[in-house]
Amino acid sequence: MAAAVSRGGALLALIAVRAAAQGPPAGSEWRAYGNDPGGSRFSPLARISVANVQQLRLAWVARTGDFMTDRGRFEATPLLVDGVLYVSTPLGSVVALDPATGAERWKYEGTVRFGYDDYGDFANRGVAAWRDGRGSGACAGRIFVATVAARLTALDARTGRPCESFGEHGHVDLTRGLRHQPEYHWEYGVTSPPLVVGDLVLVGSAVPDNHRVDAPEGVIRAFDVRSGAVRWRFDPIPRQPHDTGYETWIGPTAHNTGAANAWSIFSADPARDLVFIPVGSASPDFYGGERRGDNHFANSVVALRASTGRFVWAFQVVHHDLWDYDVPAQPVLFALRRGSDSIPAVAVATKMGHLFILDRRSGVPLFPVEERPVPTSDVPGEVASPTQPFPPSAFRLVPESLAAGDAFAVTDSMRAACRARIAALRYEGVFTPPSRRGTIIWPGNLGGMNWSGVSVDERRGIVIAPTNRLAMVVTLIPRDSLHAAHMAHPDLEFGRQAGTPYGMSRDHLGICTPPPWGTLTALDLSAGTVKWQVPLGAMPQLAQVPQSAAWGSFNLGGALLTASGLVFIAGTFDQHLRAFDVETGRELWSAALPAAGHALPMTYVAEGRQYVVVAAGGHDRLHTTMGDYVLAFTLAGPGAPVPDTTPGPLGGDYSGEMHIGDARFAMGLALRAAGDSFTASVSIDSVQIIGPVSARRSGRGVTVGFPLAYPAKRGCTATLTMTLQLWNGGRLLEGGGTFDGTCAERGHQDAAFVFRRRGRG
């Protein structure tokens, strides 16, 4: 009998091994940023449907431990690969979670140096995964993360340890080999996930556009996934006379221009050995007198041979960009059905709200594109392109006209001020060049689809596009007046644009811009028409104003589509995850989030249940609520997990950090139960505790306060108060607090605190 059990156990083990080798059921995981290599953001899962989505409930919450109160953008979309959920943070950390419970399996602590306030885009949108078909040892599965600190890291998918065989002990310094080296730490970095194609891992870069003409170049590089060696590189700016497009850069220094970088998400068609690169603007954004001509292949989607980096084709969405109109979104690959034909297509979303549909084999438009005359520049030395490409009207998803009479505000006096401001500025359409007078850029560099991109349901022939409408104001400033302008308007964004005659300032029109400020649009590809368009979200600041629910919200994140006909999207200022009916645009369900969810949601099946997961971390520049949350939702019912709200034992010893302003301090915390309350002791690197430490229970957590002195800032004192809660099964003690006194900037600062319990994994 024992032998029979043993044979049965061996048989079950063999079945389990074979099942693991075969992988999970098709569609049950989420293995790339947009689910598939082509970035459709579509899932074939249908357990959560139009009929039952109202039963969706929060299943679990995890926190990454990389909480910051005033900087960073947790924009990551987790991946589910081989039964593990992987998510990255702005600090370059990667956390592996159990997909059914949210329990932490491991965490790799990121190497991004904290303490800088000038990471232009302090973001991370996710990781990439690769599995070696040759073996099963250490690092046979790899997770790749690229960071704002310009580092590409390969981690063992099972343990989170860096793969020693990759680069230098698991890391590649992406600043090496650049034509134009960064002048400061954030002049070159990465904010979007790498792309894995075969045995190559591809990365682009994020480059500040308005610092100088010769900014770091936007080279795309492919690295060997095993060794980290460079296999190929492609520079979107032609540098040599024999390079394709060389003649479209005119001027003595034009071919030394920087940027034209690809900061957004790449896509791949492995069967055709193609990758699709969304390329941004050349530097600087708003004056192109040093780079006359159309400037190929800036502001283009570029198709390259994946295995070699060889140029195949390009389609330019803006000629000679003067508006910061990068190609901001992942090119989305899909099959366009026309009668009995199925055409391999790519959708290219833009900041202008223009959507171009191209044959991905050739770059030829599948819907008409017309070159239309656009306004000329009135700035000496500038030569704007006389025409720009326009898709059909249904594929232009945001308004393209704005007059003083269109000004919006919530009171008559504010509306009059808005009208006067608009009337004083130059605006003659979507491609009105920047000017010394001040030019309205509408829908603006945050407008259109931006990096939220579009999502495609091939079977239904529907494209879903979240859009923004936020008018910006750009003014060119003669160089000898730039400092005075900055002193006079310190609240505006300024750029030196070194190497040109002009600096620049940028502002926005805010709610002078007519609503809706954010929409969700469905485009019927068969009919070539808008199927529906609805306001997306709301602005909490205007909640008391009648009709404000119809005005929508500025948004960043993207939409998840499912085979059951659902659209899931977060990204709005009112901090909700929503579900819409893909056929009608009707909102079916929503759930409040603890922080703004500026990220693309994803979905998967674990232990027989479908989950929808979104990161909620806020946005420093949009001033939405910050956090480090990963939230999973599933249908209510027997066996459905629910978040653990039971107060856990707080007593114990913890080590962690305080994040305040641009400083990061190591801390120790010991809590001991004392009746219904606690006693506490605290240590902080470089800080003296100068009085008693108080501790009291606060709901599921504890509030700790004490006075301190900071010798490095002679003579200053402050009172620190922190309110902390247990998370992640009692492993993490995390929360926010205040720092008040002469040590604090302007007497008060907010702070973030993250502690891990000592002696627990």
Side-chain angles (χ1 to χ4, degrees):
M1 189 68 179
V5 171
S6 177
R7 286 195 298 271
L11 179 60
L12 289 174
L14 179 60
I15 292 171
V17 168
R18 287 178 175 172
Q22 292 168 354
S28 64
E29 297 204 320
W30 190 278
R31 303 179 70 87
Y33 176 85
N35 193 20
D36 50 78
S40 70
R41 297 105 185 273
F42 176 85
S43 170
L45 299 180
R47 302 183 190 198
I48 302 170
S49 68
V50 171
N52 63 22
V53 69
Q54 291 185 351
Q55 301 170 33
L56 209 57
R57 299 291 184 270
L58 185 64
W60 54 257
V61 181
R63 300 192 72 167
T64 68
D66 284 3
F67 177 44
M68 298 177 285
T69 58
D70 62 350
R71 64 202 62 214
R73 302 162 202 179
F74 183 29
E75 297 173 345
T77 294
L79 302 190
L80 182 67
V81 179
D82 297 333
V84 182
L85 198 65
Y86 300 98
V87 63
S88 55
T89 80
L91 291 177
S93 300
V94 178
V95 185
L97 303 173
D98 184 298
T101 66
E104 182 180 305
R105 294 188 176 179
W106 54 254
K107 181 180 180 183
Y108 164 75
E109 294 287 351
T111 57
V112 173
R113 291 179 61 192
F114 194 85
Y116 294 115
D117 60 2
D118 56 352
Y119 281 114
D121 291 302
F122 200 168
N124 191 289
R125 299 187 185 97
V127 299
W130 172 82
R131 173 156 291 284
D132 191 347
R134 303 178 189 173
S136 58
C139 287
R142 299 189 178 198
I143 300 298
F144 292 95
V145 61
T147 72
V148 292
R151 175 175 282 199
L152 174 64
T153 296
L155 303 174
D156 188 325
R158 292 188 300 181
T159 66
R161 297 188 183 96
C163 297
E164 288 289 323
S165 64
F166 184 83
E168 296 182 5
H169 305 293
H171 312 282
V172 169
D173 180 354
L174 296 174
T175 65
R176 291 186 180 176
L178 291 178
R179 178 188 184 97
H180 301 150
Q181 282 295 310
E183 288 187 349
Y184 53 95
H185 72 278
W186 163 238
E187 205 181 9
Y188 191 87
V190 183
T191 55
S192 290
L195 173 70
V196 169
V197 187
D199 289 343
L200 298 175
V201 54
L202 281 61
V203 292
S205 59
V207 176
D209 298 323
N210 294 308
H211 177 58
R212 55 180 172 132
V213 165
D214 56 344
E217 68 273 22
V219 62
I220 292 97
R221 285 172 287 184
F223 298 89
D224 186 291
V225 293
R226 295 181 178 86
S227 68
V230 176
R231 293 304 182 208
W232 58 256
R233 51 189 293 137
F234 174 81
D235 190 337
I237 297 179
R239 306 292 179 181
Q240 302 299 326
H242 61 267
D243 290 338
T244 303
Y246 185 86
E247 71 285 357
T248 67
W249 297 79
I250 302 169
T253 61
H255 298 96
N256 199 43
T257 299
N261 54 297
W263 56 264
S264 194
I265 303 101
F266 301 173
S267 297
D269 182 343
R272 292 182 171 84
D273 192 27
L274 292 174
V275 292
F276 300 86
I277 312 296
V279 181
S281 57
S283 60
D285 283 327
F286 302 108
Y287 180 80
E290 314 302 324
R291 51 170 175 87
R292 299 185 304 280
D294 278 356
N295 303 152
H296 295 172
F297 297 100
N299 305 89
S300 303
V301 59
V302 177
L304 303 176
R305 195 63 63 197
S307 56
T308 65
R310 183 176 64 83
F311 175 82
V312 178
W313 60 259
F315 180 87
Q316 191 173 52
V317 303
V318 178
H319 312 315
H320 189 73
D321 183 24
L322 301 173
W323 304 272
D324 192 12
Y325 278 157
D326 307 321
V327 179
Q330 180 180 28
V332 176
L333 312 187
F334 67 101
L336 176 66
R337 290 179 171 80
R338 284 182 170 168
S340 60
D341 294 333
S342 179
I343 304 170
V346 55
V348 182
T350 70
K351 293 182 179 181
M352 303 86 71
H354 293 176
L355 179 64
F356 297 95
I357 308 294
L358 314 174
D359 187 319
R360 70 173 179 263
R361 298 167 297 187
S362 63
V364 173
L366 295 173
F367 292 87
V369 174
E370 178 185 1
E371 288 285 339
R372 292 185 178 180
V374 292
T376 59
S377 175
D378 60 4
V379 174
E382 182 60 85
V383 182
S385 174
T387 65
Q388 294 289 352
F390 285 76
S393 60
F395 293 75
R396 304 198 298 271
L397 301 181
V398 299
E400 295 179 349
S401 63
L402 180 64
D406 300 323
F408 178 83
V410 295
T411 67
D412 290 342
S413 60
M414 291 173 62
R415 191 174 301 110
C418 286
R419 286 173 178 162
R421 187 178 184 199
I422 291 173
L425 298 166
R426 184 182 181 194
Y427 185 74
E428 300 161 32
V430 62
F431 291 108
T432 305
S435 62
R436 293 181 59 180
R437 168 186 169 188
T439 291
I440 294 174
I441 298 180
W442 164 252
N445 64 290
L446 293 177
M449 284 70 97
N450 213 279
W451 65 262
S452 300
V454 297
S455 308
V456 178
D457 184 329
E458 278 187 359
R459 184 173 63 84
R460 291 181 171 90
I462 293 176
V463 172
I464 298 295
T467 63
N468 284 321
R469 297 99 180 273
L470 177 62
M472 309 298 288
V473 178
V474 169
T475 304
L476 294 179
I477 304 167
R479 185 150 312 282
D480 58 5
S481 302
L482 185 60
H483 179 73
H486 193 188
M487 293 298 100
H489 302 283
D491 53 327
L492 299 186
E493 176 189 353
F494 285 85
R496 291 176 55 210
Q497 299 195 137
T500 78
Y502 301 96
M504 53 74 63
S505 69
R506 179 161 53 186
D507 195 7
H508 60 80
L509 287 181
I511 65 168
C512 291
T513 306
W517 300 305
T519 66
L520 190 64
T521 302
L523 187 66
D524 185 326
L525 290 171
S526 297
T529 58
V530 171
K531 185 178 180 71
W532 51 259
Q533 185 175 87
V534 296
L536 178 59
M539 299 295 289
Q541 305 92 318
L542 301 174
Q544 303 305 313
V545 180
Q547 300 180 333
S548 62
W551 298 340
S553 167
F554 305 117
N555 61 92
L556 288 171
L560 156 68
L561 309 184
T562 69
S564 59
L566 292 171
V567 181
F568 287 97
I569 188 167
T572 55
F573 272 57
D574 60 358
Q575 298 179 194
H576 277 71
L577 175 64
R578 292 178 164 86
F580 293 84
D581 186 328
V582 76
E583 294 288 355
T584 66
R586 184 167 64 95
E587 184 177 318
L588 302 173
W589 170 88
S590 71
L593 302 174
H598 299 299
L600 171 70
M602 51 84 75
T603 189
Y604 57 83
V605 169
E607 297 183 3
R609 304 190 67 85
Q610 184 181 353
Y611 292 82
V612 174
V613 172
V614 68
H619 193 294
D620 52 357
R621 290 194 179 178
L622 298 181
H623 305 294
T624 51
T625 301
M626 303 291 284
D628 61 337
Y629 302 91
V630 181
L631 301 105
F633 298 83
T634 194
L635 293 173
V642 294
D644 182 8
T645 58
T646 304
L650 287 161
D653 297 325
Y654 301 84
S655 58
E657 289 185 331
M658 172 175 66
H659 302 162
I660 182 167
D662 59 0
R664 186 176 189 173
F665 296 89
M667 292 186 67
L669 173 65
L671 293 173
R672 299 290 182 266
D676 293 334
S677 192
F678 297 93
T679 61
S681 60
V682 178
S683 62
I684 310 178
D685 280 2
S686 307
V687 170
Q688 296 176 354
I689 311 300
I690 59 174
V693 177
S694 65
R696 58 182 173 82
R697 183 176 289 278
S698 177
R700 296 178 58 240
V702 61
T703 296
V704 179
F706 51 89
L708 59 83
Y710 185 33
K713 193 173 180 179
R714 186 174 300 175
C716 81
T717 59
T719 298
L720 187 66
T721 303
M722 51 186 179
T723 298
L724 310 169
Q725 287 190 333
L726 280 177
W727 296 91
N728 297 10
R731 293 180 177 87
L732 204 64
L733 188 64
E734 184 172 334
T738 57
F739 190 63
D740 297 286
T742 57
C743 290
E745 293 181 9
R746 300 183 180 89
H748 170 84
Q749 287 179 270
D750 293 329
F753 304 89
V754 179
F755 296 93
R756 284 186 176 266
R757 192 187 294 269
R758 294 175 187 161
R760 293 180 64 171

